[in-house]
Amino acid sequence: MSYAQHLIPRPEVLSEDGIEGIIDLRNLDDRRRRKLESRPDAFLSLTYPTADIKRVVQQLNDRFSRRPDSSALFLFEGLKGSGKSHLLVLMYHLLKNPTEASRWLARHGLTLTPPPNATVVAHKYTDRPLLRVWEFIFQAAGLTIRGDFEVYPDDRQVLQALGDRHLVVILDELEQGIQMITNDALRRQNIAFLQMLSELGNRCPQVTIFASVYDAGKEPGATLIRVPNVRIQFARATAADRAKVVLHRLFENFLDFDPLTVSATVESMLNTWRRFIPSLDSEAFRRRMQESYPFQPELLTLILERVPQRGGFQNIRGSLGFLANMVRVTHSSEDVITAAHALLADRETATRLQDLDPGGDLINRAKVNAEELAEYPLSDRIAAATMLYTLTGEGRTRGITREELIRHVMLPGADINDFERTLLAFGKYASHFHSADGRYFFDVEENADAKVEFRSLTIDPDGSKSRALLRQIWMAEVFRETETAVVFATPEDTKAALESMRKDRLRIVLCPRQLRPEERHDLYHGLSVRNQVLLLEPRTGDFSLDANADLVKWAQRCLAAKELRDQAERSGDTGRRDEYDRIGREDRKHITDAIRRAGLRYARFDVFGASPQADRVEPEPLPGAAKEDMIKHLAEQLYPDMRFQEHMSERLDQIRGRLVKEVDRQYRETLTYPVPVSAQNITRAIRQLCLAGRIGIYHAKGNYSRQNPDLNDVELMDAQIGDPVGATPPPPPEVPPPPVELVRLETSPAGPTACFLGDLRQLTVEGYDGRGRTIPNVVVAWSSSNPTVLEVSATGEVTAVATGRAQVTARAGSIVSNPAAFDIGAGPTEQVSIPFKPSRGALRQEIAARLAQVPEARIVCARFQLFQTEHEVELSGLPAGLRGSLSGSGSLGFEITITKRGEMSKAQVEQACEQLPDFRGAQYSARLDVVGQGRQE
């Protein structure tokens, strides 16, 4: 239902020409009666009797009734458009048109009895300047002044000219007229004449003066106010009177309107507001709505009080035109009119608002923001209300609060979800929409963040440019390597990129997410020099560079900031350029921080099978996120030189007879071998094996054994590996025997058996010949850390031959009927890696589950790793060993490695795990060196 069913807009309000808000005293002379001022009945019907009007009519009636205390001077003071001219024209018609005046007075319960012989003289100074006001008054009144006078007639001459008539003088724009007189003496004469005339009127009832001025503190007002007067100051008019003047001027049936007929509409609106504003004073708003209907009362406060204070709209006159346009736009569709209906898209509204925004810069910017967000519901209304509050406020009152916005936008039928979503969009995307101290407002100063955010919505719709930028930032700014690194796309594309790189160095694959086994297998299958390809995945399982909405959004903002920055650069706007630079840097930092928090892990292949299911991959957590951190960790922790020496020692028979460069190539190509992180890993290991006398190095420059070959690395690559040069190397130095723990190695008719317990220190060999005769026991020194091949002769003598597995070998005259081999001592060591767990308890449970697969396992080394990304903490709550004497708020990030050596049982390892430092939010991992129970092969 529209409010027009209760209040009927006047025809001129709905016309294209709009309402005529300017009342001009000069139009009284319109002989064709086209102007409102020249038609007394029409003019009086549009005049609402305000408190000021009632006061003037009463004071004027008192004067005409010859009350002795009545004033002859009526001084109307106020700014342009405040209503001075309207009141002067009203006085003219009340005195000049008694028939129409009596009807208007009777309708409003007023009394005025003007003298029958009144002579009314009206003049507007700005339309017809006067040098001598007395000449005009006397001529217009038809008065003949007798006698001589040098300047102007004195009071006796005036009274003589009047006779029994009553002179009423109406002067509009008096202040402007007096100031236009450049001759100082003549200007003073005019002021003195008006003073004389008003004083004459106070002495006798035959002279009454009405005059309007802007400021009574300036001449001629400063002189006139010293005379007893009726002073009307329009700035002090009550808000209720202003509202009634406007409503009466806009709606033809306002005087007959009963507010109770719209109680349901008002209650519906109040109910809507109460749901979202619990502190709403419903009673106060109900009362105000009854007085201001169909306008929301806060709208009238803005237009009729704040706007005049800002000097805009030409006070009531301009405000009336603004409100009339809102009626014309809304009368057929709205229940009430609020600030949200002052739509910026309406040309008339925008034009009138420019009185408050000279040049229209702010309005145009707000209009663009509203158009950009047109897809959001209520966007035009939020922009309209915010703009009106912005233009009519200043200082702390500038802008609109959220509650005020609700009262203007959330009318019955509106969805609060639409409101919240759109308000959020304005704060996020509108480049000239700001908020401060709980208020929203528009400003010509650009909200650079919002402009970047809005531009980011359209700069990369499919996200392809953003993902490319994320890869670039990851490689260049986080990992800090671009030539030898590639971000995984598909196995085929990534493999092609790797094949195009140089093969004589490490090549690195950065995976935007943790890969599936099939993807890892397909990537390495058929790849050349594949043990030099390091596969790095995010340590965080749910991280995905491409699917992370925050990362993609930050990348889009980076692209938008770069584009806007270039535009500002071209236009020479260094301030905006620097602001966009700042935003781009901040968003890039968000990206790099997020990637660093995700961390890296190295996918190490222990077994590369014929299918993905046959592969065995152990994830190795890496510290830091840069290449140098990764290389350092691999070189020191996973692949130190000792690891290569140990690995070659286990396969000496496979490297003998080969060139060093062939061995080097083998390690770089065989996926499950230790990875040569440095170009010298292999040569350094070869040199150490040669120095230890395990191998010999043969080269054209010489042969070497038990010494570091006197060859540079290039020459060493062309050398051949063989047996040690010269005699068999001496046995290892004797070690004082530790406490004896006997183990029996027996051969019997039933077959060979071996039994042992714990860390072997000595070995007892007892044999039986084929006839059942016993060979005396032989005791041999033994160390589990240095297994030895044993030979047993026919006489029972045992000889240590070489390191490796303990073995009894049949020889001539041996009592052993068949060769037999036994694992004795510690046997081979296996490594069990436990990936990062969220707590030490979870790590202990995983260790227990993994060791349950190795019966009677013995652990000879346990290395625990604790890792935590940097985060905000209270330093005083940390152990002193970590924080020293620091206290207060700060941030902490760490990586701790704790290694415990010595033989431990499964239960002891679990106990050690529980004794690790407890840090909330830290990640815990372990790597165990495990020795299994000896077994016959």
Side-chain angles (χ1 to χ4, degrees):
M1 179 182 295
S2 166
Y3 62 80
Q5 298 184 17
H6 303 286
L7 283 169
I8 303 173
R10 294 183 185 273
E12 62 267 28
V13 172
L14 301 182
S15 68
E16 288 297 326
D17 294 335
I19 195 171
E20 179 58 65
I22 299 176
I23 300 300
D24 191 345
L25 193 70
R26 181 68 172 173
N27 289 334
L28 291 172
D29 298 332
D30 180 22
R31 295 181 179 180
R32 296 184 180 182
R33 299 295 179 99
R34 291 178 299 181
K35 297 296 184 180
L36 176 66
E37 298 88 340
S38 64
R39 292 177 282 121
D41 195 47
F43 178 84
L44 291 172
S45 70
L46 295 176
T47 302
Y48 181 82
T50 64
D52 286 336
I53 289 177
K54 291 178 180 178
R55 178 185 172 210
V56 170
V57 170
Q58 180 183 351
Q59 291 286 337
L60 186 59
N61 191 57
D62 291 343
R63 175 160 186 76
F64 291 155
S65 300
R66 296 179 178 271
R67 289 186 55 174
D69 56 346
S70 62
S71 298
L73 176 63
F74 290 78
L75 191 62
F76 302 156
E77 177 187 4
L79 298 174
K80 183 182 292 293
S82 60
K84 306 186 301 298
S85 297
H86 191 110
L87 188 50
L88 292 175
V89 173
L90 174 64
M91 294 301 102
Y92 179 88
H93 285 304
L94 292 180
L95 297 175
K96 291 287 288 185
N97 300 285
T99 303
E100 292 86 351
S102 62
R103 288 198 298 266
W104 183 84
L105 291 167
R107 182 174 186 183
H108 298 295
L110 300 175
T111 300
L112 177 63
T113 305
N117 56 349
T119 299
V120 181
V121 176
H123 178 69
K124 182 182 178 184
Y125 264 97
T126 53
D127 288 340
R128 183 182 173 187
L130 298 175
L131 292 179
R132 296 173 179 82
V133 65
W134 56 86
E135 293 179 353
F136 167 78
I137 292 174
F138 296 148
Q139 181 180 358
L143 301 179
T144 301
I145 303 299
R146 299 183 183 276
D148 298 328
F149 51 88
E150 293 184 4
V151 181
Y152 52 76
D154 59 24
D155 54 353
R156 288 174 298 175
Q157 290 173 308
V158 172
L159 287 176
Q160 182 181 6
L162 283 175
D164 61 349
R165 287 178 293 179
H166 193 115
L167 176 64
V168 178
V169 179
I170 300 175
L171 300 174
D172 197 8
E173 303 285 358
L174 177 61
E175 188 175 63
Q176 292 288 89
I178 296 299
Q179 291 178 355
M180 285 190 297
I181 301 175
T182 57
N183 185 291
D184 184 64
L186 189 57
R187 182 171 60 253
R188 291 177 181 274
Q189 291 171 7
N190 278 272
I191 295 173
F193 170 75
L194 293 173
Q195 181 180 359
M196 180 274 291
L197 199 62
S198 60
E199 290 174 348
L200 175 62
N202 284 329
R203 291 194 299 270
C204 70
Q206 289 181 265
V207 176
T208 301
I209 302 174
F210 295 92
S212 72
V213 295
Y214 294 147
D215 184 356
K218 298 179 180 179
E219 293 295 357
T223 297
L224 296 179
I225 59 174
R226 294 198 294 266
V227 179
N229 62 84
V230 178
R231 185 178 177 186
I232 302 297
Q233 294 176 289
F234 289 88
R236 298 183 181 181
T238 65
D241 264 353
R242 288 195 184 101
K244 290 175 181 177
V245 168
V246 169
L247 292 169
H248 179 65
R249 184 67 177 84
L250 297 176
F251 301 101
E252 62 184 37
N253 63 330
F254 171 72
L255 294 177
D256 302 321
F257 170 66
D258 182 3
L260 294 180
T261 59
V262 294
S263 296
T265 300
V266 173
E267 285 302 319
S268 176
M269 185 169 62
L270 292 175
N271 289 336
T272 300
W273 293 350
R274 274 193 294 262
R275 288 201 299 271
F276 313 119
I277 310 175
S279 60
L280 179 70
D281 187 347
S282 300
E283 290 302 320
F285 257 95
R286 181 182 294 107
R287 183 175 61 255
R288 294 179 63 190
M289 276 299 303
Q290 290 174 347
E291 295 174 353
S292 65
Y293 184 86
F295 295 102
Q296 203 260 32
E298 292 170 309
L299 172 61
L300 291 186
T301 300
L302 292 178
I303 302 304
L304 301 182
E305 295 183 31
R306 284 198 186 182
V307 168
Q309 291 172 3
R310 294 293 308 278
F313 286 1
Q314 295 187 359
N315 293 304
I316 295 297
R317 175 196 305 166
S319 300
L320 181 63
F322 184 84
L323 295 173
N325 181 65
M326 294 188 74
V327 171
R328 185 175 64 83
V329 172
T330 63
H331 74 281
S332 62
S333 58
E334 301 295 337
D335 293 330
V336 292
I337 307 174
T338 74
H341 294 110
L343 301 179
L344 301 178
D346 180 69
R347 181 178 299 177
E348 180 71 16
T349 299
T351 300
R352 290 182 178 273
L353 285 176
Q354 286 186 5
D355 281 354
L356 304 175
D357 177 33
D361 289 345
L362 182 58
I363 295 173
N364 291 334
R365 285 168 168 79
K367 184 178 179 181
V368 169
N369 284 166
E371 291 172 350
E372 290 173 341
L373 301 178
E375 64 183 270
Y376 289 88
L378 306 176
S379 60
D380 54 346
R381 298 195 174 193
I382 289 177
T386 303
M387 174 52 72
L388 197 55
Y389 269 80
T390 299
L391 294 176
T392 59
E394 56 186 348
R396 294 183 177 180
T397 65
R398 187 186 188 206
I400 188 169
T401 67
R402 182 178 181 278
E403 291 186 358
E404 289 170 335
L405 204 53
I406 287 176
R407 291 197 292 267
H408 287 281
V409 176
M410 288 302 298
L411 300 180
D415 188 339
I416 189 63
N417 295 318
D418 290 340
F419 173 84
E420 297 289 4
R421 185 162 64 93
T422 305
L423 182 58
L424 182 64
F426 266 93
K428 192 174 184 180
Y429 302 127
S431 57
H432 293 276
F433 187 87
H434 299 257
S435 64
D437 300 327
R439 291 183 174 273
Y440 303 100
F441 57 93
F442 285 103
D443 197 286
V444 291
E445 181 180 344
E446 188 177 69
N447 182 343
D449 275 293
K451 188 162 187 177
V452 168
E453 186 71 26
F454 183 76
R455 183 68 187 94
S456 71
L457 297 178
T458 57
I459 196 168
D460 182 33
D462 62 354
S464 58
K465 295 181 181 178
S466 300
R467 286 188 285 272
L469 178 61
L470 289 174
R471 284 162 165 73
Q472 176 189 340
I473 292 175
W474 190 6
M475 289 197 296
E477 300 180 28
V478 180
F479 193 68
R480 296 201 284 271
E481 176 58 59
T482 56
E483 292 185 3
T484 61
V486 60
V487 179
F488 181 88
T490 65
E492 294 74 17
D493 293 341
T494 308
K495 190 184 300 183
L498 292 170
E499 293 293 359
S500 67
M501 297 179 183
R502 291 175 56 179
K503 310 296 191 304
D504 59 348
R505 62 183 65 184
L506 286 175
R507 292 168 290 165
I508 300 157
V509 178
L510 297 172
C511 301
R513 54 176 171 79
Q514 291 185 359
L515 300 187
R516 301 188 305 274
E518 295 79 10
E519 292 174 313
R520 297 192 192 103
H521 188 89
D522 292 345
L523 174 64
Y524 278 98
H525 181 72
L527 185 65
S528 60
V529 197
R530 59 187 180 181
N531 203 37
Q532 289 285 272
V533 175
L534 301 178
L535 185 60
L536 307 184
E537 300 176 347
R539 187 164 53 214
T540 305
D542 59 355
F543 178 83
S544 174
L545 189 73
D546 295 333
N548 188 301
D550 290 337
L551 285 174
V552 173
K553 187 60 183 177
W554 285 325
Q556 289 174 332
R557 283 174 55 89
C558 284
L559 293 171
K562 174 65 167 58
E563 181 180 282
L564 294 171
R565 187 256 183 218
D566 292 343
Q567 292 176 0
E569 177 94 48
R570 288 192 295 270
S571 65
D573 191 338
T574 57
R576 291 172 58 205
R577 179 202 62 192
D578 294 343
E579 190 68 9
Y580 293 135
D581 266 340
R582 175 191 64 79
I583 294 171
R585 289 194 304 270
E586 290 178 355
D587 288 330
R588 291 179 88 92
K589 186 176 186 302
H590 292 323
I591 293 171
T592 57
D593 288 348
I595 295 175
R596 288 190 179 101
R597 283 195 300 271
L600 288 174
R601 71 178 192 181
Y602 163 48
R604 174 173 60 84
F605 275 83
D606 285 348
V607 175
F608 186 78
S611 66
Q613 292 72 29
D615 294 344
R616 191 172 76 191
V617 178
E618 286 292 339
E620 294 286 349
L622 299 174
K627 178 184 178 182
E628 55 265 29
D629 300 325
M630 180 268 297
I631 295 295
K632 181 179 179 182
H633 181 79
L634 294 183
E636 294 179 356
Q637 301 295 328
L638 292 182
Y639 303 120
D641 289 343
M642 184 60 67
R643 178 73 183 278
F644 291 92
Q645 296 175 40
E646 293 173 351
H647 192 268
M648 290 182 188
S649 297
E650 296 172 0
R651 50 188 301 274
L652 288 175
D653 56 336
Q654 299 178 29
I655 67 173
R656 288 192 182 98
R658 292 178 175 268
L659 297 178
V660 173
K661 62 184 178 184
E662 293 175 347
V663 175
D664 181 81
R665 183 169 58 252
Q666 185 181 42
Y667 273 85
R668 297 182 188 277
E669 292 178 348
T670 307
L671 184 57
T672 56
Y673 279 17
V675 176
V677 178
S678 166
Q680 291 79 35
N681 277 136
I682 302 302
T683 56
R684 284 197 296 260
I686 294 292
R687 291 178 186 277
Q688 290 299 318
L689 290 175
C690 181
L691 184 62
R694 305 295 301 280
I695 60 173
I697 296 298
Y698 297 86
H699 190 269
K701 292 181 63 174
N703 303 328
Y704 306 92
S705 184
R706 290 183 295 278
Q707 68 181 58
N708 186 358
D710 187 18
L711 302 170
N712 60 38
D713 282 352
V714 175
E715 295 169 335
L716 183 59
M717 282 291 183
D718 292 326
Q720 187 176 36
I721 303 171
D723 290 328
V725 179
T728 302
E734 294 185 2
V735 179
V740 176
E741 192 171 350
L742 299 181
V743 178
R744 291 167 58 85
L745 175 62
E746 301 177 349
T747 59
S748 66
T753 60
C755 55
F756 56 90
L757 178 65
D759 187 13
L760 302 183
R761 295 294 183 246
Q762 287 191 343
L763 174 66
T764 299
V765 179
E766 185 177 277
Y768 299 88
D769 63 9
R771 301 173 184 175
R773 291 179 298 184
T774 301
I775 304 297
N777 293 341
V778 178
V779 178
V780 180
W782 173 265
S783 170
S784 63
S785 62
N786 187 24
T788 305
V789 174
L790 308 176
E791 289 187 356
V792 183
S793 68
T795 61
E797 295 179 356
V798 179
T799 304
V801 177
T803 60
R805 295 171 53 225
Q807 183 171 330
V808 178
T809 305
R811 290 182 181 272
S814 172
I815 62 171
V816 181
S817 58
N818 294 306
F822 303 90
D823 285 335
I824 68 173
T829 300
E830 296 186 5
Q831 197 172 79
V832 177
S833 296
I834 311 297
F836 276 102
K837 300 297 177 184
S839 67
R840 60 184 184 180
L843 180 63
R844 182 193 63 77
Q845 295 175 3
E846 182 66 19
I847 288 174
R850 297 286 292 273
L851 293 183
Q853 304 172 12
V854 187
E856 300 184 23
R858 292 181 299 122
I859 298 88
V860 296
C861 179
R863 184 166 67 252
F864 301 99
Q865 192 171 24
L866 288 67
F867 175 80
Q868 183 158 332
T869 57
E870 188 170 339
H871 65 291
E872 297 295 325
V873 296
E874 176 59 39
L875 294 176
S876 57
L878 298 174
L882 281 177
R883 64 179 175 88
S885 58
L886 296 174
S887 61
S889 61
S891 61
L892 173 70
F894 59 80
E895 182 174 350
I896 301 174
T897 300
I898 301 175
T899 303
K900 186 173 176 60
R901 294 184 175 85
E903 187 172 310
M904 294 170 283
S905 65
K906 171 176 172 289
Q908 289 173 323
V909 173
E910 294 182 30
Q911 183 181 10
C913 183
E914 288 292 347
Q915 293 172 345
L916 292 173
D918 185 18
F919 294 103
R920 179 176 298 177
Q923 299 284 316
Y924 293 77
S925 72
R927 184 178 296 112
L928 311 176
D929 292 338
V930 181
V931 178
Q933 172 69 23
R935 58 192 181 277
Q936 177 183 342
E937 295 182 344

